Amino acid sequence: MYKALELAAAAGKAGEIPVGAVIVKDGEIIAEGKNMTEAKQNALSHAEIEAINGACGFLKSRRLDGCEMYVTLEPCPMCTGAIINSRLKTLVFGAYNRVSGSIDSVVDLCNYPYNHKVEVYGGICEDDCIKLLKDFFVDLRTSEQ
């Protein structure tokens, strides 16, 4: 999760919403991602999607069997769908997303009867993840005044 926090901080410094994600296989980070929606001007460039793309390329497989994702913010519906479809074994997230969180906060897509179940752990390093987000939005509001 600490690497995901580093990536989130880098995203924030680049003007992106500070979210970072890493994918781990057999204890080794095989892919990472950070929000890049502004830089790429692409609504799909969330940290989770960037990490999944990298992991699929690394493993040369659309299935990420046995992989774990660590992400600083509870995934949105798009990212949750990608997590389920990629067959990630485990999802660990930091801050709960009261606006569009689709693991627990708004809806729990992982409890729908899909053909794959992801093991989920939320609230890990939550205070650090929340601080990054709060600081980013305070700075953003201050710079807009």
Side-chain angles (χ1 to χ4, degrees):
M1 185 61 87
Y2 294 114
K3 181 62 177 176
L5 278 161
E6 285 177 24
L7 293 163
K13 286 180 182 151
E16 304 280 354
I17 294 175
V19 179
V22 296
I23 295 181
V24 174
K25 174 99 172 166
D26 300 325
E28 182 181 332
I29 294 174
I30 62 166
E32 56 188 49
K34 61 185 179 201
N35 269 359
M36 298 184 67
T37 56
E38 295 298 325
K40 291 185 174 183
Q41 286 299 293
N42 188 326
L44 302 176
S45 295
H46 287 197
E48 299 95 326
I49 301 298
E50 296 290 319
I52 289 169
N53 279 333
C56 289
F58 180 83
L59 295 174
K60 296 180 180 23
S61 175
R62 65 180 179 84
R63 291 181 176 242
L64 302 179
D65 297 317
C67 292
E68 305 162 350
M69 176 183 280
Y70 296 81
V71 62
T72 58
L73 182 64
E74 178 184 2
C76 72
M78 173 183 71
C79 293
T80 302
I83 288 164
I84 293 167
N85 285 333
S86 66
R87 307 294 197 268
L88 278 164
K89 176 185 176 213
T90 307
L91 170 69
V92 178
F93 69 88
Y96 287 82
N97 183 348
R98 306 290 178 215
V99 175
S100 63
S102 296
I103 302 295
D104 185 81
S105 296
V106 176
V107 68
D108 183 355
L109 294 178
C110 288
N111 265 338
Y112 280 76
Y114 298 119
N115 62 347
H116 177 73
K117 291 287 181 195
V118 181
E119 196 175 312
V120 177
Y121 302 94
I124 308 305
C125 297
E126 184 175 20
D127 291 341
D128 294 330
C129 296
I130 289 171
K131 182 174 179 3
L132 268 177
L133 289 159
K134 280 187 176 178
D135 290 351
F136 174 81
F137 285 110
V138 165
D139 290 348
L140 183 65
R141 287 184 196 104
T142 302
S143 68
E144 290 177 348
Q145 292 178 356

